[in-house]
């Protein structure tokens, strides 16, 4: 940030304002996503935050633009969470007499959405950060954050993900140092990620590609035995916004058996994890129609969580069409 650019922006130059905020837009949107768990909500709240920043720019003291923007974005997220729209909707499990085994209530938030890797901005966390970039955007980590009370959630993100000092976090939230430390202690106790990061193959590594390749090949060949062998003993299949999940390799493959059909599978990435867009053949036209987006959570050389999103509207954020021509 240069003083000249700031002066132009404070004088009402919109282009100068965009020049000021552009380096931070990506990390601010990811910040809102971690707190809210939804890409759409994060986009909407960030737009409100940037509009508020534009209107308040004349009062900015010129010290730390990044911290100032985080203060506005964080408090807009907290305001959003105070509304009833973030309360879990009252839904029940399917008929218990359905006969499906391994079906239990899911702890994942119904509003959880995958975050496209292409939207992830570069961020240089402070020295007090406890999570690296891969861990702090993982689907299970974001889902776990949603279980924390809002104040604890934002304190943990500010301190342990972004590495702001306790004093800076207190300034962003307009609270005391004691309140920040207390909230952080309770948040750390309440957040229990279900995967050791050391057990997860590195993103885009040969080890990761090998697991994903075996999963896709087994699915395309309708090979249920290989699918079972690829799943960890405690594997889960979740389907936000559905309020249930399927647990165990045999129960999961039983569900997948019902959906095995000719498919075109397009690889992509979400939350620094491998993701697959599934397209099924249209019986009445020479096209493939999008069916779902699946995010894979890996542990070692197997799959521990399959998260299936059936909202086809999500595909546009990944640069994927709803239909593809059949060759």
């Amino acid at each position: 940030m240069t003083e000249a650019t700031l002066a132009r922006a404070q004088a009402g130059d919109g282009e100068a304002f965009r020049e000021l905020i552009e380096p931070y837009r990506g990390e601010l949107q990811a910040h809102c996503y971690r707190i809210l768990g939804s890409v759409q909500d994060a986009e909407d709240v960030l737009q409100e935050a940037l509009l508020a920043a534009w209107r308040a720019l004349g009062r900015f003291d010129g010290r730390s633009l990044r911290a100032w923007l985080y203060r506005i974005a964080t408090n807009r997220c907290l305001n959003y969470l105070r509304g009833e729209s973030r309360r879990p909707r009252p839904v029940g499990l399917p008929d218990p007499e359905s006969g499906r085994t391994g079906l239990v209530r899911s702890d994942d938030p119904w509003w959880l959405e995958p975050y496209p890797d292409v939207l992830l901005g570069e961020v240089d966390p402070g020295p007090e950060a406890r999570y690296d970039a891969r861990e702090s955007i993982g689907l299970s980590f974001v889902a776990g954050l949603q279980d924390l009370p809002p104040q604890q959630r934002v304190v943990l993100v500010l301190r342990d993900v972004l590495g702001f000092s306790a004093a800076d976090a207190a300034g962003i939230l307009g609270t005391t140092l004691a309140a920040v430390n207390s909230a952080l202690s309770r948040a750390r106790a309440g957040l229990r990620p279900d995967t050791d990061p050391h057990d997860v193959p590195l993103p885009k590594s040969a080890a990761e590609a090998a697991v994903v390749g075996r999963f896709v090949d087994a699915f395309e060949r309708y090979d249920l035995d290989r699918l079972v062998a690829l799943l960890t003993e405690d594997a889960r299949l979740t389907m936000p916004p559905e309020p249930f999940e399927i647990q165990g390799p045999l129960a999961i493959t039983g569900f997948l058996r019902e959906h095995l059909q000719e498919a075109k599978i397009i690889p992509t990435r979400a939350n620094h994890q491998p993701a697959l867009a599934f397209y099924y053949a249209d019986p009445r036209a020479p096209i493939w129609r999008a069916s779902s987006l699946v995010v894979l959570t890996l542990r070692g050389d197997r799959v521990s969580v399959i998260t299936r999103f059936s909202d086809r509207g999500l595909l546009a954020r990944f640069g994927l069409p709803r239909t593809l021509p059949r060759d």
Side-chain angles (χ1 to χ4, degrees):
M1 178 182 71
T2 66
E3 291 184 4
T5 305
L6 175 60
R8 285 169 40 223
Q10 289 179 322
D13 187 331
E15 191 59 41
F17 177 72
R18 284 187 286 274
E19 186 179 333
L20 285 177
I21 66 168
E22 196 57 37
Y24 308 106
R25 181 185 289 273
E27 62 175 285
L28 286 169
Q29 182 165 314
H31 175 62
C32 294
Y33 168 72
R34 290 184 181 97
I35 295 172
L36 303 176
S38 159
V39 184
Q40 183 61 61
D41 293 344
E43 290 175 348
D44 293 344
V45 171
L46 179 59
Q47 288 305 311
E48 292 178 10
L50 295 179
L51 180 58
W54 167 247
R55 290 171 174 169
L57 192 61
R59 300 192 297 274
F60 173 55
D61 61 15
R63 284 185 289 181
S64 174
L65 178 63
R66 181 172 181 261
W68 185 70
L69 290 172
Y70 266 101
R71 178 171 188 170
I72 295 172
T74 300
N75 283 286
R76 287 282 167 167
C77 287
L78 285 171
N79 288 341
Y80 184 80
L81 290 172
R82 292 187 185 104
E84 291 186 354
S85 60
R86 297 313 302 169
R87 294 179 182 174
R89 58 187 179 185
V91 288
L93 283 170
D95 181 358
E97 302 300 323
S98 64
R100 183 180 295 283
T101 59
L103 189 67
V104 300
R105 180 171 294 281
S106 176
D107 292 330
D108 283 353
W110 64 262
W111 58 86
L112 184 67
E113 292 179 342
Y115 197 85
D117 278 17
V118 294
L119 297 182
L120 290 171
E122 293 294 328
V123 59
D124 184 18
E128 298 184 48
R130 288 189 168 198
Y131 297 96
D132 64 24
R134 174 177 56 129
E135 295 174 80
S136 69
I137 203 68
L139 205 56
S140 64
F141 180 82
V142 174
L145 283 174
Q146 309 308 300
D147 289 333
L148 297 176
Q151 195 77 3
Q152 292 181 28
R153 193 185 313 174
V154 297
V155 167
L156 187 138
V157 171
L158 290 171
R159 296 282 283 115
D160 288 354
V161 173
L162 297 168
F164 281 107
S165 69
D168 285 341
I172 288 171
L173 294 171
T175 189
T176 65
L177 197 61
V180 164
N181 290 333
S182 175
L184 180 61
S185 177
R186 284 178 283 140
R188 286 173 176 171
L191 181 67
R192 303 189 183 279
D194 59 6
T195 301
D196 185 334
H198 296 99
D199 293 339
V200 181
L202 291 174
K204 301 182 182 180
S205 65
E208 181 191 80
V211 180
V212 176
R214 290 197 296 272
F215 182 90
V216 171
D217 187 63
F219 199 95
E220 290 180 333
R221 294 175 183 271
Y222 308 165
D223 193 334
L224 290 174
D225 290 337
R226 287 180 64 199
L227 280 173
V228 169
L230 273 171
L231 301 176
T232 61
E233 293 182 0
D234 59 348
R236 300 184 296 123
L237 169 63
T238 66
M239 295 170 280
E242 299 298 336
F244 59 87
E245 63 184 47
I246 301 172
Q247 296 182 346
L250 292 178
I252 291 172
T253 51
F255 174 85
L256 294 177
R257 181 185 289 110
E258 301 172 8
H259 296 79
L260 284 175
Q261 56 180 289
E262 186 181 9
K264 187 175 185 64
I265 302 175
I266 305 296
T268 184
R269 298 196 66 82
N271 300 77
H272 277 321
Q273 297 172 228
L276 304 167
F278 280 74
Y279 292 78
Y280 292 135
D282 187 314
R284 295 177 295 276
I287 58 174
W288 301 96
R289 289 195 180 276
S291 169
S292 60
L293 183 76
V294 169
V295 181
L296 301 179
T297 301
L298 309 186
R299 188 191 305 154
D301 60 355
R302 292 194 286 174
V303 177
S304 61
V305 185
I306 301 171
T307 309
R308 179 177 179 268
F309 299 93
S310 58
D311 180 2
R312 291 185 290 274
L314 295 171
L315 294 174
R317 293 194 177 91
F318 290 82
L320 295 170
R322 292 202 181 197
T323 63
L324 291 168
R326 294 186 71 182
D327 298 331

